[in-house]
Amino acid sequence: MTEITLQLDDTPIVTLSAHTEKSLFDTLTDADILLRKACINGACGVCRCRLVSGTIDYRGRHPYGLNDGEQAGGWILPCIAFPKTDLKLMQLKRQEPK
């Protein structure tokens, strides 16, 4: 198990337990934190957020939705990312209510 620490907008900091066998997107969805989404396979980049600390694993998949500069700047794709260590995330984009 790992911990994910995140802050959405002006809300208090939230800490969630995460399993290394579940994607970040699924972990956040299970906690009722709904991120923007489109493809859910790493191609579009809509769900992107910034990884401030920690390590993720894309499990052999490539984050096509991010260019090299974005990846170097700490951007990740939660839809295909799995936590390897405790994480701190910022700049998550919530799904707009319908």
Side-chain angles (χ1 to χ4, degrees), residues 40-58:
I40 309 295
N41 66 14
C44 72
V46 170
C47 69
R48 79 183 65 202
C49 68
R50 190 175 298 269
L51 177 65
V52 177
S53 65
T55 307
I56 58 144
D57 184 1
Y58 285 127

Side-chain angles (χ1 to χ4, degrees), residues 29-80:
T29 299
D30 290 349
D32 291 327
I33 299 171
L34 305 178
L35 299 181
R36 290 181 57 204
K37 63 180 179 179
C39 71
I40 309 295
N41 66 14
C44 72
V46 170
C47 69
R48 79 183 65 202
C49 68
R50 190 175 298 269
L51 177 65
V52 177
S53 65
T55 307
I56 58 144
D57 184 1
Y58 285 127
R59 304 230 171 128
R61 299 180 78 182
H62 185 78
Y64 290 106
L66 299 173
N67 65 38
D68 291 340
E70 291 167 327
Q71 290 180 61
W75 291 94
I76 64 167
L77 298 178
C79 65
I80 60 171

